[in-house]
Amino acid sequence: MKIDSPKEPILFKQIRTGYLNQPFTIYKFRSMRSLGAVKTDNGTHYNWVGEVPDDFVFKSSNEATKLSKIGYFVRKFSLDELPQLWNVLKGDMSFIGPRPEIPAITKHYSTNQMARLLTKPGISGWAQANGRSEMNHGQKIEFDLYYVENCSLRLDLFILLLTIKCVLSGKGSV
C-alpha cells in the first residue's frame, strides 16, 4: 500500500455503529488510491422517508476503479479486514456478527432494522458468508436478523467455515 501511494497512511479509520447503537472507530487497511477517493460518512446525507429501503446498495458502481493495484488484491481476499482484530481485542467487535454500518445509515433504521444492533458487530457474519457484497440492504438485514435470533457457537463455526471458503475464492468481494 505504501508503494501504491507512499504519502498516504496504511490504515483507514472510520466511525461505525456497534452494539446497542454505540459508535466506535473501525480499522482497515486502506485499499483506495488516495484518501481523497475514499468515501466517508462526513457530509453524507441520505434523504429516505422512513427506514433504509430494502433495495439500497452501499457500494458505488465506480468504487472498483478507485482501488489501487494492491488494494484490489487486499479487498478480493478480505485482507483489508485484518486490522479489525484490534477492534475484537478492544471489545468493539467479535469475530462473527453483523457487519458494522456507518451512522449516516443506522440513524435511518426502523425498529426492525435496529434489532441487528442487539449483538456485537463482527469481522464476518451470516450475510457475508451468504453473498458478501452481492446483496441489497433488505437481504443483508434478513441474514443479520436471522443471526441475532439464532446466535450459537455452532452457527458461528459454520459461518467461519463459509467465510474461509468465500475469502479463498474471492467471490463477491470487489
Side-chain angles (χ1 to χ4, degrees):
M1 287 171 262
K2 275 294 188 188
I3 293 168
D4 277 350
S5 44
K7 295 180 182 176
E8 300 293 339
I10 292 174
L11 288 179
F12 169 71
K13 297 183 247 180
Q14 187 179 48
I15 300 297
R16 298 284 179 99
T17 305
Y19 177 61
L20 298 178
N21 207 24
Q22 294 300 306
F24 72 97
T25 302
I26 195 171
Y27 301 94
K28 298 177 90 171
F29 283 128
R30 185 179 48 79
S31 56
M32 300 286 188
R33 286 193 193 112
S34 72
L35 286 178
V38 176
K39 291 188 299 182
T40 66
D41 61 338
N42 297 340
T44 301
H45 302 285
Y46 297 101
N47 296 317
W48 297 312
V49 176
E51 64 188 49
V52 181
D54 285 344
D55 62 352
F56 170 69
V57 177
F58 184 71
K59 283 194 170 191
S60 67
S61 59
N62 67 347
E63 190 167 307
T65 62
K66 296 176 185 175
L67 293 174
S68 67
K69 290 177 185 176
I70 301 287
Y72 180 83
F73 177 82
V74 165
R75 280 260 187 108
K76 182 171 179 84
F77 296 103
S78 297
L79 298 173
D80 60 325
E81 311 291 350
L82 286 176
Q84 289 166 38
L85 293 172
W86 179 246
N87 289 110
V88 172
L89 289 172
K90 286 177 47 185
D92 295 328
M93 293 177 68
S94 64
F95 287 106
I96 307 295
R99 288 293 297 155
E101 192 65 84
I102 62 171
I105 293 174
T106 57
K107 77 178 184 178
H108 292 281
Y109 274 5
S110 67
T111 304
N112 183 52
Q113 293 168 338
M114 197 66 98
R116 74 183 293 271
L117 303 175
L118 294 175
T119 187
K120 276 189 184 181
I123 295 175
S124 184
W126 188 231
Q128 288 67 40
N130 284 284
R132 292 175 93 179
S133 54
E134 295 179 333
M135 62 181 65
N136 64 34
H137 184 76
Q139 294 165 318
K140 181 178 77 171
I141 291 289
E142 283 183 41
F143 281 116
D144 288 345
L145 293 180
Y146 177 87
Y147 176 80
V148 170
E149 294 166 6
N150 297 283
C151 185
S152 68
L153 179 60
R154 184 179 185 166
L155 181 57
D156 282 2
L157 292 174
F158 185 61
I159 291 169
L160 179 62
L161 291 173
L162 287 175
T163 299
I164 292 168
K165 180 181 173 187
C166 287
V167 168
L168 291 177
S169 73
K171 185 178 184 297
S173 59
V174 180

